[in-house]
Amino acid sequence: MILKSLKNSHSYLIILFLLFSISFFIPSFFTSQFQNIENKFPFYSILILVISAILTFFHSIGLNNLIYDKDIIKKPNFVLAFVFLLLNTTFVTNHKMMLISFVLLFFLNFLLQLYKQKQPFSIVFNAGILLSILSFYLPNILLLFPIILISTLIFRNINWRINTISILSLFVPYFFLWSYQIFTETELYFPVFEFNFKLFNFSIEELELHQKIWFFVLSLVSLLSFFEIFRWMYKKSIRSRESFTIIILYFLFSVFIFLFSRKEESVILIVTPLSVIIGNYFVYHIKIRWSEFIFFLFLFSSIFYRITMINM
């Protein structure tokens, strides 16, 4: 019944989602991760947590509206917003990467805007500039750049001018940065890519009970969602099918960035595309009772994880 109630676009769901989001972040105030934040000024830790909660809330709403407006998931629903929030269960105050992930929502919007655009020069230019600016903090984010060219190829509007403009857009922010550094006689900044593959020694025995439950449910949901999308991709509309191809590529490139980045918190970049894939499963799966059960498990494990984080 929970999932069925979310498969509509009634305005009351926004209020319900806001209340759930607040309740979802309240346990964060009592976690050791929050308590260990160094207060640079009064109420700094509270400010960071509030910013993280606000970014997550607006990211959830924005992603839900984007996917529906672009006809990727055509059924009116509020499922995707809840899925995105639940995928952020393990994150408490990772405000910097949350901000980057939120900005990348505009990048995804630019990619999906390429559909049926004959001269999308401004779109690819804006997408390239966005990645270039974000690379000041996370250089490996530039590895998402090939998706711009691949998207123009998928949507059949690629040409030499598009390629040239997209490449030039990467240098525009650096041109202004280097001009300032030359003027101030400081060392020029160049992005340094990290290509050190992280081999994680993932031991199930070392995990707490709530972590075991949540990761098991997440793995189950992810496997079912990928199986669903690859099984029924051919039945989707042309726009939806091509858009999902881009989202899957976005997911793969995000995984690649995470595996080769020193910043382990970059795993948050995977959440956006994974949310869309999982959301598609919960919206379209034909066995309603089964999908309701899986969604309940996902919801329960996430709430249990959040509550168990208290005083840890």
Side-chain angles (χ1 to χ4, degrees):
M1 292 298 294
I2 299 177
L3 188 58
K4 183 179 180 180
S5 301
L6 298 178
K7 292 182 180 180
N8 62 72
S9 56
H10 295 318
S11 57
Y12 75 87
L13 286 175
I14 298 180
I15 300 176
L16 177 64
F17 182 69
L18 175 61
L19 295 176
F20 181 77
S21 299
I22 295 174
S23 302
F24 196 73
F25 272 90
I26 285 178
S28 301
F29 282 95
F30 308 100
T31 62
S32 59
Q33 185 176 346
F34 170 76
Q35 296 168 357
N36 291 333
I37 297 177
E38 181 181 355
N39 280 309
K40 299 179 180 179
F41 51 83
F43 304 108
Y44 173 78
S45 58
I46 296 178
L47 177 62
I48 292 300
L49 183 58
V50 171
I51 291 176
S52 300
I54 292 175
L55 285 173
T56 304
F57 173 79
F58 283 106
H59 194 153
S60 304
I61 299 295
L63 180 61
N64 193 94
N65 293 339
L66 172 63
I67 299 303
Y68 177 65
D69 290 341
K70 300 300 181 183
D71 286 333
I72 300 173
I73 296 179
K74 295 186 176 183
K75 291 184 178 180
N77 70 91
F78 221 77
V79 175
L80 183 54
F82 277 87
V83 169
F84 181 87
L85 182 64
L86 296 179
L87 284 177
N88 278 272
T89 297
T90 61
F91 306 115
V92 178
T93 58
N94 197 358
H95 62 287
K96 292 181 180 179
M97 289 306 303
M98 286 180 175
L99 178 60
I100 289 179
S101 179
F102 180 75
V103 174
L104 282 176
L105 185 60
F106 295 91
F107 172 74
L108 179 60
N109 181 46
F110 289 139
L111 295 181
L112 300 178
Q113 279 183 3
L114 291 170
Y115 181 73
K116 285 190 175 180
Q117 294 287 337
K118 295 182 179 180
Q119 296 179 333
F121 304 126
S122 61
I123 298 177
V124 297
F125 184 78
N126 293 336
I129 283 184
L130 209 58
L131 290 183
S132 183
I133 294 175
L134 294 179
S135 69
F136 293 162
Y137 177 77
L138 185 64
N140 280 20
I141 205 75
L142 291 175
L143 296 176
L144 290 177
F145 172 75
I147 302 182
I148 300 177
L149 302 181
I150 296 174
S151 298
T152 59
L153 180 62
I154 292 175
F155 288 138
R156 296 170 296 281
N157 47 20
I158 190 171
N159 56 56
W160 69 270
R161 286 183 294 177
I162 294 294
N163 295 339
T164 304
I165 290 174
S166 59
I167 294 174
L168 289 177
S169 65
L170 295 179
F171 291 95
V172 172
Y174 282 93
F175 172 78
F176 287 101
L177 176 63
W178 292 334
S179 299
Y180 171 77
Q181 290 177 329
I182 291 174
F183 180 76
T184 57
E185 297 182 350
T186 56
E187 184 179 357
L188 297 182
Y189 170 79
F190 291 92
V192 179
F193 294 95
E194 301 169 356
F195 292 103
N196 297 318
F197 180 75
K198 294 195 295 285
L199 183 60
F200 296 96
N201 295 320
F202 190 76
S203 177
I204 298 179
E205 290 75 14
E206 296 179 358
L207 297 178
E208 301 290 339
L209 176 61
H210 64 283
Q211 294 175 322
K212 292 179 181 179
I213 295 175
W214 191 80
F215 282 112
F216 172 77
V217 174
L218 176 60
S219 300
L220 175 62
V221 172
S222 299
L223 288 174
L224 292 173
S225 300
F226 275 101
F227 179 76
E228 178 84 9
I229 192 65
F230 286 120
R231 183 183 180 187
W232 300 108
M233 179 81 85
Y234 73 98
K235 286 192 174 183
K236 293 185 176 295
S237 65
I238 295 176
R239 180 171 187 175
S240 180
R241 184 165 60 246
E242 293 176 343
S243 298
F244 263 110
T245 301
I246 294 172
I247 290 171
I248 292 172
L249 289 173
Y250 185 14
F251 170 80
L252 295 176
F253 276 79
S254 298
V255 171
F256 186 78
I257 291 174
F258 166 62
L259 293 177
F260 288 88
S261 176
R262 293 180 182 176
K263 299 181 184 296
E264 293 188 1
E265 62 269 25
S266 61
V267 68
I268 201 173
L269 302 181
I270 303 174
V271 174
T272 296
L274 184 58
S275 298
V276 181
I277 296 171
I278 293 177
N280 174 78
Y281 171 77
F282 286 128
V283 171
Y284 287 112
H285 190 63
I286 57 177
K287 296 182 179 179
I288 299 177
R289 291 185 178 179
W290 171 253
S291 59
E292 284 274 5
F293 174 70
I294 295 298
F295 185 80
F296 174 78
L297 285 181
F298 191 29
L299 178 63
F300 171 79
S301 62
S302 298
I303 295 175
F304 179 64
Y305 191 112
R306 278 279 170 167
I307 295 175
T308 314
M309 289 171 62
I310 296 177
N311 292 327
M312 292 190 62

